[in-house]
Amino acid sequence: FPEMLSNPRLMSVQRTLNVVMNQNVSLSCHSDSGSPPVTYTLFKHSQQVSTLNRPDLTPALFNLTINSASDVGEYKCKAENKVSSAGKYSNSLNFTLIEPISKPVLSSPTSQAKKGQNVTLSCLSENGSLPITYVFFKGKQNISPPVKIHKREAAVIFLYISSSSDFGTYKCRAENSFRNNTKYSNSFNFTLAEERSHSQPLIISLGLILLLFIIGFALAIPFFIIPSYKASE
């Protein structure tokens, strides 16, 4: 007697749902039991993508190409035979589009600092699939544990400038799940801010007083020297 189909299983032949742009992928749809022949139909959301007929219970293989972000939507398949005319539906699969990250940018609100000051460093890759993991370095030594960011925002660390060695070269590294795509940032250096001498305001004040004295003396000459000259005549 004809046997009703079991619910089919939809699987990725690549055994991963992480894909890159323009990648070819294959989906396998298979009912373990039921009377052949079997008609398999692949759907993306509710839109039919392709239909394959199998004379036996071998899997149907659907070949796809990921051309855009819209190709990573939800996929399902339906299996039908003469008994299961309404069809049996599979589990759903969703691909995740993996994009390589761009070179991160390392920056700070200030490029000058002095000893005893707290400063911040920010590292951000503008492009690339999330999450992105950042690590900060001074020279070749990492100065932070890996920071995993799940939003399009910068990773930030706080530093305390305690000695002249803290004015070295800083960098950051960014990576995501895209294989062999680790990127390093630009170099960033803090420069020592000039500290004003305590005597500088005093020198400026004395200079202003001397200048005012000279100006006052110059203005007083017509009132004191010229009358005395006329009196001597």
Side-chain angles (χ1 to χ4, degrees):
F1 294 96
E3 184 183 355
M4 184 176 293
L5 290 168
S6 61
N7 285 84
R9 289 178 298 142
L10 184 64
M11 298 183 298
S12 169
V13 176
Q14 294 74 220
R15 298 183 180 277
T16 178
L17 295 176
N18 293 333
V19 294
V20 298
M21 199 69 75
N22 301 318
Q23 180 179 340
N24 294 319
V25 296
S26 295
L27 292 177
S28 169
C29 187
H30 180 223
S31 287
D32 292 324
S33 61
S35 299
V38 183
T39 299
Y40 293 98
T41 304
L42 182 69
F43 294 88
K44 184 169 72 70
H45 297 303
S46 57
Q47 183 178 359
Q48 180 176 325
V49 176
S50 181
T51 298
L52 295 173
N53 295 309
R54 286 290 177 265
D56 48 28
L57 292 179
T58 57
L61 293 179
F62 296 96
N63 298 313
L64 308 170
T65 301
I66 305 300
N67 292 315
S68 66
S70 63
D71 293 327
V72 295
E74 182 187 62
Y75 287 87
K76 281 188 176 184
C77 73
K78 181 176 72 171
E80 299 172 274
N81 65 0
K82 293 181 179 179
V83 179
S84 306
S85 57
K88 293 292 185 73
Y89 285 87
S90 72
N91 55 294
S92 61
L93 288 182
N94 281 279
F95 288 109
T96 300
L97 185 62
I98 303 298
E99 296 178 281
I101 53 177
S102 58
K103 180 179 179 179
V105 175
L106 184 64
S107 61
S108 176
T110 178
S111 60
Q112 291 188 331
K114 56 186 178 180
K115 294 179 183 179
Q117 182 179 344
N118 292 306
V119 294
T120 60
L121 281 174
S122 300
C123 185
L124 175 64
S125 286
E126 291 284 355
N127 300 304
S129 51
L130 301 170
I132 298 176
T133 301
Y134 297 95
V135 179
F136 292 84
F137 295 85
K138 187 170 79 68
K140 295 183 179 180
Q141 182 179 3
N142 63 306
I143 56 173
S144 75
V147 181
K148 183 175 285 189
I149 303 296
H150 294 266
K151 298 179 181 179
R152 189 67 63 190
E153 61 184 21
V156 180
I157 63 168
F158 299 89
L159 302 173
Y160 178 73
I161 304 298
S162 59
S163 65
S164 57
S165 64
D166 294 325
F167 290 95
T169 300
Y170 292 87
K171 279 190 174 185
C172 69
R173 183 184 71 200
E175 58 188 359
N176 62 2
S177 55
F178 194 96
R179 291 182 179 180
N180 303 319
N181 189 237
T182 298
K183 295 288 182 67
Y184 286 85
S185 73
N186 54 293
S187 299
F188 188 91
N189 289 74
F190 290 105
T191 57
L192 181 63
E194 295 184 2
E195 297 187 9
R196 288 188 174 183
S197 172
H198 293 294
S199 60
Q200 189 175 2
L202 179 61
I203 294 173
I204 294 174
S205 299
L206 291 174
L208 289 174
I209 293 172
L210 180 60
L211 179 62
L212 291 173
F213 178 77
I214 294 172
I215 294 173
F217 181 76
L219 293 174
I221 289 176
F223 296 98
F224 292 98
I225 296 180
I226 295 176
S228 61
Y229 174 77
K230 288 182 178 181
S232 63
E233 289 181 352

